[in-house]
């Protein structure tokens, strides 16, 4: 049989229970603070992940349209890029496309033709604020906020091997038709929207570069 010692309540120091309660409250508050910080971190991470997906979707959609506009520009028989917008757009569309009239034309693109340089094209999309960078060729806006920018580069010196592209024919067949190979490189930067807080340096952005072989 166990002998449980009896505690004399008169021998317990005054205030000991209060100290124990204070320690328990401090531990509970610390646990609540840790849970709150962890929850806030998860919400922030989830928000950045969602905005990152939105930035990629913006870049992906803009890349498809930028490639179409560039190919139309290289093949005048297809018309002009603005005709595509007027034919398929409507006044209710929230998205607008702005072309750089000083740069986005066939003559200027060939004058600026050079081997593709990633750094230069990335800076021109506005991925980094560089005062020496030129304005992009195409700007995509939704509700007057920039969601994507595109830069087009032509390389007539190092055309890649034949692939599936518009008018991609046998270069050795000189019986007729176009025969000048051109690499068309389109670099697109996508983001969710222009941040209202200029100090926000971690705004999610997505960069997509496509290289196509055109025969002119």
């Amino acid at each position: 049989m166990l002998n449980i010692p009896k505690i004399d309540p008169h021998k317990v120091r005054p205030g000991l229970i209060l100290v124990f309660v204070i320690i328990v409250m401090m531990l509970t508050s610390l646990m609540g603070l840790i849970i709150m910080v962890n929850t806030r971190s998860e919400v922030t991470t989830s928000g950045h992940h969602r905005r990152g997906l939105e930035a990629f979707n913006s870049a992906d959609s803009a890349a498809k349209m930028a490639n179409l506009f560039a190919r139309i520009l290289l093949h005048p028989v297809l018309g002009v890029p603005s005709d595509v917008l007027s034919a398929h757009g409507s006044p209710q569309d929230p998205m607008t496309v702005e072309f750089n009239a000083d740069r986005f034309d066939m003559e200027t693109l060939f004058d600026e033709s050079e081997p593709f340089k990633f750094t230069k094209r990335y800076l021109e999309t506005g991925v980094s604020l560089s005062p020496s960078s030129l304005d992009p060729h195409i700007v995509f806006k939704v509700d007057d906020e920039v969601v994507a920018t595109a830069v087009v580069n032509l390389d007539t010196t190092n055309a890649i091997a034949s692939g599936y592209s518009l008018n991609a024919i046998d270069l050795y067949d000189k019986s007729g038709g176009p025969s000048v190979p051109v690499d068309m490189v389109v670099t697109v930067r996508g983001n969710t929207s222009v941040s209202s807080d200029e100090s926000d340096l971690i705004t999610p952005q997505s960069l997509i570069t496509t290289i196509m072989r055109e025969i002119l």
Side-chain angles (χ1 to χ4, degrees):
M1 183 175 181
L2 296 177
N3 294 323
I4 302 176
K6 296 182 179 180
I7 299 177
D8 188 356
H10 299 288
K11 293 183 179 181
V12 178
R13 294 182 180 180
L16 184 60
I17 296 179
L18 178 61
V19 173
F20 177 75
V21 171
I22 292 175
I23 294 176
V24 172
M25 291 180 62
M26 290 178 61
L27 292 176
T28 304
S29 300
L30 181 61
M31 183 181 300
L33 180 62
I34 294 175
I35 293 175
M36 182 181 67
V37 171
N38 184 59
T39 302
R40 184 174 181 179
S41 176
E42 290 181 355
V43 170
T44 302
T45 301
S46 176
H48 278 288
H49 177 69
R50 176 183 57 80
R51 294 176 66 191
L53 289 178
E54 291 178 358
F56 174 78
N57 290 335
S58 297
D60 183 52
S61 301
K64 296 176 181 177
M65 289 186 286
N67 276 282
L68 174 62
F69 296 146
R71 298 178 83 176
I72 291 175
L73 196 67
L74 294 180
H75 301 275
V77 68
L78 300 178
V80 293
S82 57
D83 290 343
V84 178
L85 297 177
S86 60
H88 299 281
S90 65
Q92 291 78 25
D93 288 342
M95 188 187 73
T96 57
V97 182
E98 298 178 358
F99 299 103
N100 188 335
D102 296 330
R103 300 189 63 200
F104 193 61
D105 63 80
M106 192 170 182
E107 183 177 353
T108 303
L109 288 179
F110 274 99
D111 289 341
E112 297 179 353
S113 175
E114 61 182 1
F116 179 64
K117 297 179 181 179
F118 287 92
T119 304
K120 178 180 178 182
R121 296 306 172 190
Y122 287 165
L123 291 177
E124 288 184 4
T125 61
V127 69
S128 176
L129 298 178
S130 176
S132 60
S133 299
L134 299 174
D135 293 331
H137 292 103
I138 311 173
V139 176
F140 300 87
K141 294 182 177 181
V142 173
D143 295 331
D144 293 329
E145 293 189 346
V146 177
V147 295
T149 54
V151 176
V152 181
N153 182 69
L154 300 180
D155 183 3
T156 60
T157 59
N158 301 305
I160 60 178
S162 299
Y164 296 100
S165 182
L166 190 63
N167 290 334
I169 61 174
D170 186 0
L171 294 181
Y172 295 99
D173 182 7
K174 303 300 181 181
S175 59
S179 61
V180 179
V182 175
D183 283 351
M184 184 185 73
V185 184
V186 178
T187 301
V188 177
R189 174 185 66 90
N191 54 272
T192 53
S193 64
V194 177
S195 176
S196 58
D197 184 5
E198 294 181 357
S199 63
D200 185 6
L201 300 179
I202 55 175
T203 301
Q205 301 182 81
S206 183
L207 286 169
I208 294 179
T209 295
T210 59
I211 303 177
M212 293 188 177
R213 184 174 188 269
E214 295 294 321
I215 305 297
L216 304 181

